[in-house]
Amino acid sequence: MTNFPADWRARAVSPADALALVRNGSKIFVQGACATPTPLLEALAARDDLEDIRLYHLHLAGAAPWLEGGKAKRFHSISLFTGPSLRTPIEDGRADFVPIFLSDIPSLFETRRVALDIAFVQLSPPDSHGTCSLGTSVDAARAAVDSARFIIAEINDQMPRTHGNTAVPFDRIDAFICTD
């Protein structure tokens, strides 16, 4: 039986430090619905040194701080399935909506038609084997974590482990924050 180190939390960093991998021109997948990594998005929106950031996502829960106060000129939101927080920005031209079947989204990432640099995801804590779970929102997140160069995660004590193709090895995560 594998015993994953109990001190894994010691590697956690602040949201601002987790974003050190984000560079100008980064293409970022953002996991959505109940797994929206809000602290990472808030930290991203707080950065004023970034330009030409493309955020690919489905329905996101909560506000869209990267589209407020003229930030839409630096952060380009590309919604593949939209919800309340993005409808007005899409109507106003501050964000884009791409009509696509949900089943076709993973191939955008797998074929590198959309070559993701980073995936922002919210995961369950690792189990004794060092495996986290994508939890409640797998949809296109599976393809995103498999094809992105880097994974930046919010590891949330409240994210349930789910069965199916949801496993993300802890050693695949490049930077993470811890939340509860």
Side-chain angles (χ1 to χ4, degrees):
M1 181 164 129
T2 304
N3 288 321
F4 187 71
D7 65 347
W8 63 269
R9 290 177 192 274
R11 287 187 39 204
V13 297
S14 70
D17 289 341
L19 301 184
L21 295 167
V22 179
R23 304 278 189 257
N24 288 338
S26 290
K27 293 178 183 163
I28 303 170
F29 172 81
V30 182
Q31 189 178 17
C34 293
T36 301
T38 302
L40 297 177
L41 290 172
E42 290 171 347
L44 183 69
R47 286 191 55 183
D48 59 6
D49 63 323
L50 295 172
E51 299 285 336
D52 193 31
I53 302 299
R54 294 184 173 270
L55 300 172
Y56 294 88
H57 54 83
L58 283 74
H59 167 71
L60 298 177
W66 64 93
L67 294 175
E68 297 169 0
K71 294 178 185 178
K73 295 175 184 164
R74 298 183 301 112
F75 299 103
H76 190 90
S77 183
I78 303 163
S79 185
L80 304 170
F81 182 88
T82 199
S85 64
L86 274 291
R87 287 188 184 119
T88 299
I90 289 168
E91 289 171 5
D92 294 347
R94 293 179 288 132
D96 283 334
F97 172 72
V98 176
I100 186 171
F101 290 115
L102 178 61
S103 61
D104 290 338
I105 296 170
S107 69
L108 292 176
F109 308 137
E110 294 163 347
T111 64
R112 310 278 300 156
R113 180 170 281 168
V114 174
L116 295 172
D117 298 302
I118 302 167
F120 283 3
V121 292
Q122 186 178 150
L123 304 172
S124 72
D127 62 14
S128 63
H129 302 285
T131 303
C132 300
S133 169
L134 287 166
T136 60
S137 184
V138 180
D139 51 51
R142 169 81 277 152
V145 299
D146 288 346
S147 61
R149 289 180 51 216
F150 302 108
I151 297 174
I152 300 176
E154 172 187 356
I155 297 181
N156 182 346
D157 286 336
Q158 300 302 315
M159 178 58 79
R161 300 188 69 75
T162 54
H163 296 286
N165 192 11
T166 67
V168 178
F170 183 79
D171 61 5
R172 175 71 173 88
I173 301 167
D174 296 285
F176 70 94
I177 64 171
C178 287
T179 61
D180 185 355

